[in-house]
Amino acid sequence: MSGAAAAGLNGWEDGLRARHLIPLWQVMRGMLPSEPTPPAVAHHWRAADFNPDLERAAREISAELAERRVLLFENPSYPGESRITATLHAGIQYLLPGETAAPHRHAQSALRFILEGAGAYTEVGGERFTMAAGDLILTPAFAWHGHGNPGNAAVAWLDGLDLPIVRLMGTTFAEMKPPVGGVPKTPEGAAMARFGSGMLPAEPQAISVASPRIHYPYVQARGALAQLAKGMPADPVHGYRLAYAHPQTGGPIMPTMAAYLQLLPQGFAGGFYRTTEALVFSVAEGEGRTTVIGLDGAEKTFTWSRHDHFVIPGWLRFRHEANREAVVFSFSDKPLQHTMGLWREVREH
Ligand code: 1HN
């Protein structure tokens, strides 16, 4: 092609752009890589590093002023975007004795994994759920929720939200003030009695998109893992791993987020694994390390202990090892991927 013709073509293409028309043939290859190339990176936040910052935030920022006293985990690949992966938001919330965080509600779904402290509560849809370390407590989309700590020790928990997904869809709604007269109350224990015993209300119930059980106490989940570890074979990748389940469907706890608790026995050396779901990990007990291979082939090893957090974006190879028996909580964006027919995994051992 002559230079003049090329220039003419370029001129036409530039003109198209000015009229907000894009030639697909110039951009299609970039849209269709042969496999996922996550822009997020694997990253490790050590509790020993961020704990002093939580203490300082507690000294300098009142929970009332902050509304939510949270240090959020920002993926280094997404500066300024308040996200830990393309789809998920995560942070540590800290509440001192006597503090409360006022009720509000929003389109985003949240889950809370309690790290430390007991006796605080979160109120979800007018029912109070008392926290103990290792518990999982859900806040479904649009449920009113606030927190309080009437106990005498500080409490800290991991917040996981589907914020980036809701942002992508442009469906964010929030109400920062409860209705006049407050949120109608339900007695503490009602959700557990109806949905948490392995039985269900006998009369027909609407099936809510998020688990109506709301609360998954650690004693129960941890007890189940201890029992499995006594005699059942471990999975070569995950050790002993259970998924928190929606009692009415048996599926994931929320439409956008799944959560797991896994026990890695002392000396566990897992096989390499990759999955499309992005995973955020919170170490509840023990010590170990996780090796992740980046898109560039570079290997990172996270040597972790209690209350450390780390993120593994989808499709990066990783493996877990444990020096001492370890229990690790994690949450991911698997349910949405599954609904779309996109979820995949590969075990490489
Ligand atoms: C939120 O409502 C809570 O209610 C925690 O505890 C973290 C992060 C972003 C947006 C809303 C909470 C949040 C949040």
Side-chain angles (χ1 to χ4, degrees):
M1 196 187 295
S2 77
L9 202 54
N10 286 341
W12 168 60
E13 287 172 349
D14 289 348
L16 284 175
R17 283 172 195 277
R19 290 182 289 129
H20 312 292
L21 289 163
I22 305 298
L24 177 63
W25 57 90
Q26 291 185 350
V27 292
M28 194 169 76
R29 290 303 279 276
M31 288 173 175
L32 302 173
S34 57
E35 54 180 285
T37 52
V41 293
H43 195 79
H44 179 197
W45 291 265
R46 285 187 181 77
D49 285 343
F50 63 72
N51 276 341
D53 299 304
L54 287 172
E55 298 290 345
R56 179 163 182 178
R59 281 197 306 274
E60 301 195 7
I61 317 282
S62 76
E64 195 185 358
L65 217 83
E67 294 204 11
R68 297 294 187 264
R69 186 194 289 117
V70 175
L71 286 180
L72 66 93
F73 297 127
E74 179 182 84
N75 194 286
S77 292
Y78 292 115
E81 295 188 29
S82 300
R83 52 175 145 174
I84 189 164
T85 71
T87 49
L88 301 172
H89 169 103
I92 306 289
Q93 187 160 167
Y94 197 60
L95 206 59
L96 295 175
E99 286 184 328
T100 56
H104 67 202
R105 65 174 184 161
H106 42 66
Q108 292 82 359
S109 300
L111 56 81
R112 309 185 204 285
F113 181 68
I114 315 308
L115 304 180
E116 197 142 30
Y121 63 84
T122 201
E123 208 174 273
V124 181
E127 182 173 343
R128 189 174 275 211
F129 297 88
T130 299
M131 300 174 177
D135 289 5
L136 177 69
I137 301 178
L138 310 181
T139 301
F142 292 113
W144 287 103
H145 58 285
H147 320 298
N149 183 2
N152 43 29
V155 289
W157 65 80
L158 168 68
D159 285 316
L161 289 94
D162 58 5
L163 261 147
I165 297 173
V166 178
R167 190 193 306 160
L168 172 69
M169 293 186 294
T171 49
T172 301
F173 294 88
E175 286 176 70
M176 303 309 275
K177 284 256 177 315
V180 181
V183 180
K185 298 280 186 258
T186 304
E188 179 159 6
M192 189 65 87
R194 297 172 82 211
F195 298 106
S197 71
M199 302 178 81
L200 293 172
E203 308 322 316
Q205 302 286 314
I207 297 186
S208 40
V209 292
S211 165
R213 174 178 163 152
I214 306 293
H215 189 184
Y216 295 77
Y218 194 58
V219 282
Q220 206 174 355
R222 179 68 178 86
L225 291 177
Q227 187 62 34
L228 290 175
K230 274 186 197 158
M232 296 293 288
D235 179 90
V237 166
H238 303 293
Y240 299 94
R241 188 170 74 142
L242 293 170
Y244 295 89
H246 186 309
Q248 292 166 313
T249 67
I253 45 172
M254 298 190 135
T256 46
M257 295 186 287
Y260 310 92
L261 194 70
Q262 71 194 102
L263 184 151
L264 307 175
Q266 177 162 13
F268 182 76
F272 269 107
Y273 176 76
R274 67 203 312 209
T275 173
T276 49
E277 71 194 282
L279 284 155
V280 176
F281 292 90
S282 176
V283 180
E285 296 178 34
E287 283 165 18
R289 62 181 173 275
T290 297
T291 304
V292 194
I293 304 185
L295 283 182
D296 55 1
E299 197 174 289
K300 285 185 197 171
T301 299
F302 303 147
T303 299
W304 42 256
S305 56
R306 191 167 132 83
H307 297 167
D308 279 12
H309 290 75
F310 56 97
V311 60
I312 304 186
W315 217 236
L316 299 188
R317 287 184 175 80
F318 69 93
R319 66 183 295 235
H320 300 306
E321 295 166 276
N323 320 336
R324 289 206 293 118
E325 181 179 82
V327 180
V328 183
F329 170 84
S330 55
F331 74 98
S332 85
D333 54 2
K334 181 179 178 184
L336 190 55
Q337 294 191 2
H338 198 264
T339 302
M340 295 173 77
L342 307 177
W343 181 82
R344 284 202 212 182
E345 65 174 353
V346 180
R347 288 162 177 263
E348 302 180 348
H349 54 272

